[in-house]
Amino acid sequence: MSTLNQEKKIAKRVTLVGAFWDAVLGLVKIVAGHFSQSQALLADGIHSLSDLITDLFVYFTSAKSRQGPDHNHPYGHLRFETLTTVFLGLVLIIVALGIVYDSLSNQSLKPQSTWYGLAAILLTIIVKEAIFHYTKKAGEQINSKMLIANAWHSRSDALSSIAVLAGFVGIYLGYPQADVLASIIVAALIAKLAISMIWENLAELVDTAPDPELIKRIVETAQSLKEVMAPHDVRARSMAGKVYLDMHIHVPKNATVSEGHYLGDLVAYTIKKAHPEVVDVLVHIDTNEKIQTDSLLREPTTEKPPLLKLPARNQILADLKFLLRQHESYVDIPDTRLHYLHNHLSLEIIATSDLVPEQADLKQLTASILQDIENAKYIKNATVLWRIKS
C-alpha cells in the first residue's frame, strides 16, 4: 500500500471515531441544556455538532487530498486540505457569532444547575480530551495540518465545556448571569481557534516559506555530504504540512552529467530521509567555480548569464565537423566533451588511435587538430584524448 493510501486510511478512521463521539455528545448536551434552560450548555452542544460537520468535511477531503498527481494537478491534491481547513475556520466563526447572539437574546431564561447537565459536561471534557490526543497523534503521524486542526477543534470543545462547568458553578452559587458569560467565553474560544486556522492556512495558500529553522536544518543536512558544496538559492513551499523544496548545489567543476545527476539524487534522498515532511526535492546542479555562501536565496533576474553568450553543443559540433574534416576518420566529433567554466569554453576532443593512418605520429596529429580548431575563437583551450579500441 502506498504512503498516500495509508495516510488516507488513517485519516478516515480517526475522523469517523471523532464524528461518532461528536454526534453523541452534541445530542446529550443539547437535551441536557434544554431541560436545564442553560444557554451555555446548549451552545456547547451546538459546538459539538459543529465538530460533527467539520468531521464530515475532513473525512471527504482526506480522501481527495491524498490522491496522487494527475494531469490537472501535477503537484498532487494536498492544497484541497488547506482550502478545506480555511473553510472550516469560516464555519467556526459563524458558529461563534450565532452562540453570542443566542446567549444575549435569551437572557429571560432561568438556567438551573442539574445533575444530568453536570454529567454531560464532565463526559464531554473526558471524551473530547481523549479524542484530542488520539487525533493529534494521528495528524502528526501523517503530517496532516487538517487533522491537527481538527484535533484542536476537539480540544476547544473540552475547554469550552470547562467554561460551561464554571457557569454551572456560578448558577449553583446564585449567579445566573454566569451562564451567559460562560457561553460568550465558549464563543470566544471557538472564534480564536478559527482565526488561527484561517491565518495559518491562508499563509500556506500564498506559498509562504516554511519555518526558517526547518530550512536551516535542511541546508545543514545537504552540507553534511562531502561531495556537495554550498547549497544555495533554497526555496520551499508547504502543502498541507508537506514541504516541496528547490535547491541549488555546487559539485566539482569537471563532474560528468551522470555524476551530477547522481549527486542530485543523493542530496534529494538524504534530505527526505532526514526530514520526512519533505516529500519532493528539485536539485539544480552548479559547478564549484563560483561558490557564494553569503545568501541562501538570490533575487530573480532576467539578465543573460555570461555563459549563455557562448554557443550551445549543436553549433559547436557543427563547427568542429567543418574545422576537423581532414581528421574525421579518427576523431569522434559527437563524443566531444564541453566544459563551460569561468565564463569560457574548454573542449576535450576524443580520437581513436587504432583508426589513424599507418606510421602516423600521434603527437603531430594532436598538434594538427589543435591548430585546426584555433579558428573557433570562442574556444578558450582544448585537449585531445586518444583511446585504443583493440
Side-chain angles (χ1 to χ4, degrees):
M1 185 182 294
S2 69
T3 300
L4 288 178
N5 285 335
Q6 288 177 335
E7 292 179 356
K8 186 192 305 182
K9 186 176 180 180
I10 291 172
K12 284 187 172 182
R13 183 182 70 245
V14 170
T15 305
L16 285 176
V17 171
F20 170 79
W21 282 107
D22 286 334
V24 171
L25 294 173
L27 293 175
V28 168
K29 285 187 287 188
I30 288 175
V31 171
H34 173 74
F35 286 105
S36 300
Q37 297 189 53
S38 169
Q39 284 298 311
L41 191 53
L42 282 170
D44 207 26
I46 295 172
H47 187 189
S48 290
L49 289 183
S50 75
D51 282 358
L52 176 60
I53 295 173
T54 59
D55 287 337
L56 293 176
F57 279 115
V58 171
Y59 181 83
F60 290 108
T61 302
S62 63
K64 179 68 175 177
S65 64
R66 257 55 190 183
Q67 291 179 3
D70 58 27
H71 179 72
N72 292 323
H73 304 90
Y75 287 95
H77 297 76
L78 289 172
R79 284 283 167 82
F80 282 90
E81 180 173 315
T82 308
L83 188 61
T84 298
T85 308
V86 173
F87 178 72
L88 296 182
L90 295 174
V91 170
L92 289 178
I93 288 178
I94 294 173
V95 169
L97 293 174
I99 289 173
V100 172
Y101 176 80
D102 286 342
S103 299
L104 297 178
S105 61
N106 292 282
Q107 295 189 49
S108 59
L109 296 177
K110 296 181 179 180
Q112 303 173 21
S113 182
T114 60
W115 69 266
Y116 44 82
L118 181 63
I121 295 171
L122 293 176
L123 179 64
T124 298
I125 294 172
I126 295 171
V127 172
K128 296 298 286 187
E129 185 66 15
I131 292 176
F132 164 73
H133 289 286
Y134 176 58
T135 308
K136 184 171 181 288
K137 182 179 179 181
E140 291 172 345
Q141 179 183 348
I142 66 174
N143 203 17
S144 169
K145 283 187 175 181
M146 184 174 65
L147 270 189
I148 294 174
N150 208 31
W152 281 102
H153 192 184
S154 297
R155 167 63 71 84
S156 75
D157 205 0
L159 293 175
S160 64
S161 294
I162 294 175
V164 176
L165 179 62
F168 259 52
V169 173
I171 294 169
Y172 180 78
L173 295 176
Y175 299 97
Q177 291 301 316
D179 185 68
V180 176
L181 179 61
S183 63
I184 293 176
I185 292 175
V186 170
L189 288 170
I190 297 173
K192 181 179 182 298
L193 171 68
I195 292 172
S196 298
M197 289 169 57
I198 293 171
W199 183 260
E200 181 179 348
N201 286 276
L202 282 179
E204 183 175 301
L205 285 175
V206 296
D207 282 339
T208 302
D211 181 6
E213 287 299 318
L214 172 62
I215 301 301
K216 181 180 178 182
R217 292 194 298 272
I218 290 173
V219 171
E220 290 173 350
T221 300
Q223 288 175 328
S224 68
L225 299 170
K226 294 181 179 180
E227 299 87 351
V228 175
M229 295 161 284
H232 62 288
D233 287 3
V234 181
R235 298 187 300 178
R237 66 178 69 179
S238 296
M239 292 189 186
K242 312 294 186 183
V243 175
Y244 289 73
L245 183 73
D246 299 341
M247 172 183 287
H248 288 227
I249 63 171
H250 287 280
V251 301
K253 64 180 182 181
N254 290 317
T256 61
V257 173
S258 60
E259 184 183 1
H261 181 75
Y262 165 83
L263 293 175
D265 284 351
L266 178 63
V267 169
Y269 169 78
T270 304
I271 288 175
K272 289 193 285 186
K273 185 177 180 181
H275 307 279
E277 62 269 45
V278 179
V279 297
D280 186 73
V281 182
L282 178 63
V283 181
H284 177 87
I285 305 299
D286 293 327
T287 62
N288 65 350
E289 57 169 328
K290 287 186 178 179
I291 297 181
Q292 297 181 353
T293 58
D294 56 332
S295 175
L296 294 178
L297 184 63
R298 292 197 296 264
E299 290 292 331
T301 177
T302 57
E303 183 180 350
K304 190 174 185 179
L307 278 178
L308 295 187
K309 297 176 182 178
L310 296 170
R313 184 177 187 85
N314 286 343
Q315 180 61 52
I316 295 169
L317 295 188
D319 291 345
L320 290 178
K321 187 174 182 181
F322 173 76
L323 295 173
L324 301 180
R325 57 191 180 277
Q326 63 174 325
H327 307 285
E328 62 180 357
S329 61
Y330 47 86
V331 172
D332 192 344
I333 300 295
D335 275 5
T336 301
R337 299 171 186 171
L338 311 181
H339 298 284
Y340 293 89
L341 299 171
H342 306 292
N343 295 330
H344 297 292
L345 177 65
S346 299
L347 303 184
E348 289 181 357
I349 307 296
I350 309 300
T352 304
S353 61
D354 291 354
L355 300 178
V356 301
E358 292 186 8
Q359 307 300 323
D361 187 299
L362 293 185
K363 288 185 178 181
Q364 291 181 353
L365 289 179
T366 298
S368 177
I369 292 172
L370 295 177
Q371 183 177 7
D372 288 343
I373 65 175
E374 285 181 355
N375 290 323
K377 302 301 183 183
Y378 54 78
I379 299 176
K380 177 70 173 180
N381 54 66
T383 304
V384 179
L385 301 178
W386 292 94
R387 62 187 175 192
I388 302 173
K389 279 191 174 182
S390 58

